[in-house]
Amino acid sequence: MKSEKKITIDEVRELMKGDAPLFFLNVRQHRERDWSVIKVRGALRVPDDEVERHIDEIPHDRVLVVYSSSPGDEPSEWAVELLRQRGWNNAYVLIGGFGAYLEAGLPVEEFGVGSETRKIMFLS
């Protein structure tokens, strides 16, 4: 069962199998260069210092799974704390972040300039 503020990848997988609608928030550290070309399918990606600016894009009626690619879960923990203070009682940090999600083989999608760059590299 979910802890107060954290969720395991097995719990996410079970929720995905059921009827519980999920929403994924990818919190990136604003100071680091982002070379990502994939994300959780349908996830909203925001720098950690812009979560409040994007708060209207985050639904209240879904289980909110917050993840990052950073070692440790600090950006995600900070975002969940902020969101819970703003009324998102169903926000959880994904334990293990994006690495755990990838290892579980759950759906991802390509995005952005990095995706186009990767395609060019493969075609060259």
Side-chain angles (χ1 to χ4, degrees), residues 24-92:
F24 290 90
L25 177 63
N26 177 201
V27 180
R28 302 181 298 107
Q29 288 189 327
H30 67 279
R31 292 180 301 267
E32 294 184 4
R33 182 80 174 146
D34 184 12
W35 296 101
S36 299
V37 295
I38 59 174
K39 66 175 183 164
V40 170
R41 187 172 55 205
L44 173 63
R45 297 182 80 239
V46 298
D48 58 0
D49 62 344
E50 294 183 18
V51 172
E52 281 193 275
R53 201 171 106 204
H54 293 273
I55 211 155
D56 290 339
E57 300 172 54
I58 303 169
H60 275 277
D61 62 343
R62 298 179 183 199
V63 173
L64 176 59
V65 180
V66 182
Y67 73 93
S68 73
S69 301
S70 302
D73 293 322
E74 290 85 12
S76 301
E77 289 170 356
W78 178 86
V80 165
E81 192 61 38
L82 172 77
L83 290 164
R84 284 178 172 255
Q85 290 171 4
R86 302 283 194 279
W88 276 265
N89 296 325
N90 57 348
Y92 302 95

Side-chain angles (χ1 to χ4, degrees), residues 26 28 33-40 42-43 45 108-121:
N26 177 201
R28 302 181 298 107
R33 182 80 174 146
D34 184 12
W35 296 101
S36 299
V37 295
I38 59 174
K39 66 175 183 164
V40 170
R45 297 182 80 239
V108 296
E109 65 186 6
E110 291 187 354
F111 67 92
V113 176
S115 175
E116 293 304 313
T117 301
R118 193 171 108 184
K119 288 176 186 171
I120 290 169
M121 288 171 47

Side-chain angles (χ1 to χ4, degrees), residues 2-7 77 80-81 84 91-94:
K2 291 184 291 295
S3 75
E4 186 176 329
K5 296 180 185 175
K6 296 193 178 199
I7 190 169
E77 289 170 356
V80 165
E81 192 61 38
R84 284 178 172 255
Y92 302 95
V93 173
L94 176 58

